[in-house]
Every structure is written in structure tokens, then in C-alpha cells.
Amino acid sequence: MKDISGYFKRRNILVEHIISAYSKNQALIICMESGDEFSTSILLYELISYLPKDEFIEIRRGTIVRISAIISISDDGLYTLIDGKSYQGRKRNLRTHKNLRDELIMKNNILIKPIKLSQSFLEKCSILDEMQLAYCIIELVFDENGHGLDFIFRYCNKEMERLEGVPIENMLNHSFYEVFKNGDKKWLVAYADVALNGVKRTIRDYSPEIGKTLTIHCYQPEPGYCACVLTEDEQNE
């Protein structure tokens, strides 16, 4: 068996940041939360034996996914993950996929269908209009088959307009990737994790969309939504 621990250490791969892995052309592709992918000669069964048994599932021969990263399982066994990737599970015995979907729904952590934020909730957000910190609420949206695609701005305060350099009316009810044509897909993973799993996350990263390094504090105001408080790092000033 290959020295997986040494390989991971040399490439700064952390197990908790692995989203999926699949075999392709006699190589194993490891997909990370950051969007990075590593091609390795490690065999899938070797990787499976190294990973925590209760955190990953083999959905078909040659493909494993992190259970907590699943946002949708269709009736025909198509798995969609928080990084936007989709993998077809085994076509035979579709009941297995449906049983897993039912199990995940029962846990109330994954596969929560987004609900519409009430108008009263959005009206309450108006007290944040003049806040000196940028604040927004975004909704994770799905296509008609339930696959994760994008997120849409549902509320933005005035400071958000200044920070992003985009008028509020051009952001509200528009897709992030419609507003920012060069938007980095790395944001989708973190926001989807918050919106679907209810975790709190703090992200500090460079935003190529606006050319600034941001610190973003995220929490879930309602299932399917992510609220963000954004601050600009001093080094940008």
C-alpha cells in the first residue's frame, strides 16, 4: 500500500477538505473543497481504507463522495455535491440511493429543501440598511431536477454596495455569477455548506471579482439561505 499519509502531507491535503474521488484513465482524481484536484496513482480501495469509514460512501464502482457534502440525490441515483459536481450512482438497485436520501432527510442536516424567506423577515433586515458593515442574505438555488447550481442575492445593505462596487438593484434577485461574470466557484462550497447544513463559517480569501481580500462571517438564517457579514482587510486600504 502506498504511503498515503506522506503523499497528503507533501501536497497539503487535509482529509476533512476532500469532497469526492473518482477513477479516470487509470488514475485517481481527488476533488477538494477549494476546487483543487489531485491526480494520483493511489488506488481507490487504498484511499477508502485510509479515510474515516462513516464519512464517505462509494456510490458506484470507482467513485466515492463525502456524505455531508451531498445536497441532492435524484430518483435515478444522481448525486449532487456542494461543490456543484454531480455523479451518477449505480443504475441497478435504485432503492439503495432512495434509502440513503430518506436517511439523510431524517437527520435534518442534508437535503433540506430551501424555504422562502418571509416578507416580514426581509422587512426586518431594513434595520441593517445603514450598518457600517456589509451584510447580505443569499439563497442557494437548484434547477428543476434538484441539482445545486448557484446562489441569488435576496438582501443587500448599502455598505454591501460600496464594498462590491455594484448598485444594490443590480444585485438583488440576481445570480452571483450573473452579477460577477468572473466569479470564483470556491464561494459556492462554503455558502452551500452553511445554507444546507446550518454550520457557521468564517472565510478569509482573495475575491478576484472585486480585487480585494475579504473576511466573511456566515450563518444560516433559514434552511437554504446563508447570511454574510463582510469586512475588507486592512491590506486593501
Side-chain angles (χ1 to χ4, degrees):
M1 180 177 291
K2 294 183 175 60
D3 180 14
I4 298 178
S5 179
Y7 175 83
F8 278 14
K9 185 175 181 179
R10 290 192 297 274
R11 287 161 179 76
N12 295 316
I13 297 176
L14 298 179
V15 169
E16 57 266 32
H17 292 165
I18 296 175
I19 297 291
S20 60
Y22 61 92
S23 300
K24 181 180 180 181
N25 299 330
Q26 298 184 335
L28 182 66
I29 310 300
I30 301 176
C31 304
M32 307 299 296
E33 182 180 286
S34 63
D36 293 331
E37 295 186 355
F38 296 90
S39 179
T40 175
S41 61
I42 295 172
L43 299 177
L44 183 62
Y45 83 86
E46 294 176 326
L47 179 63
I48 291 174
S49 65
Y50 180 80
L51 298 174
K53 292 183 180 180
D54 58 345
E55 294 183 16
F56 290 84
I57 183 172
E58 186 173 12
I59 61 172
R60 65 177 298 162
R61 185 174 182 179
T63 302
I64 62 172
V65 301
R66 177 178 290 278
I67 295 174
S68 63
I70 300 170
I71 61 174
S72 176
I73 305 174
S74 69
D75 287 342
D76 59 354
L78 184 69
Y79 287 69
T80 300
L81 310 184
I82 60 176
D83 60 355
K85 289 185 174 64
S86 294
Y87 299 100
Q88 179 61 55
R90 296 179 181 86
K91 281 290 189 179
R92 67 180 186 278
N93 193 18
L94 293 179
R95 184 69 250 174
T96 300
H97 305 303
K98 295 177 181 178
N99 287 342
L100 177 59
R101 181 174 61 191
D102 292 342
E103 179 183 338
L104 295 177
I105 290 174
M106 288 294 292
K107 289 182 178 179
N108 291 321
N109 290 322
I110 308 173
L111 297 167
I112 298 174
K113 292 296 182 182
I115 62 174
K116 292 299 179 182
L117 283 174
S118 67
Q119 190 59 37
S120 62
F121 181 89
L122 293 175
E123 289 172 352
K124 291 176 182 177
C125 288
S126 64
I127 65 173
L128 303 174
D129 287 351
E130 304 293 337
M131 184 170 70
Q132 292 179 303
L133 296 176
Y135 182 88
C136 68
I137 295 177
I138 52 179
E139 177 188 5
L140 183 70
V141 295
F142 302 81
D143 67 11
E144 60 184 6
N145 296 316
H147 308 153
L149 289 178
D150 203 346
F151 49 87
I152 295 177
F153 291 100
R154 294 305 187 194
Y155 171 80
C156 300
N157 68 358
K158 293 180 181 179
E159 184 64 16
M160 184 76 179
E161 177 178 297
R162 185 204 65 77
L163 181 65
E164 298 288 358
V166 178
I168 292 176
E169 58 269 24
N170 290 351
M171 291 187 282
L172 280 181
N173 301 317
H174 288 281
S175 155
F176 177 87
Y177 297 108
E178 177 186 351
V179 176
F180 301 104
K181 303 298 183 182
N182 64 333
D184 196 321
K185 291 292 184 181
K186 67 186 177 185
W187 305 110
L188 180 60
V189 176
Y191 295 154
D193 189 24
V194 173
L196 294 165
N197 298 323
V199 300
K200 295 179 180 179
R201 297 187 61 155
T202 297
I203 312 162
R204 184 183 182 276
D205 210 337
Y206 178 74
S207 173
E209 302 84 22
I210 58 176
K212 299 175 181 177
T213 297
L214 301 175
T215 297
I216 308 173
H217 301 279
C218 308
Y219 68 94
Q220 183 200 68
E222 296 283 356
Y225 293 83
C226 176
C228 305
V229 179
L230 303 87
T231 57
E232 183 179 349
D233 281 18
E234 293 181 358
Q235 66 185 43
N236 297 319
E237 300 175 355

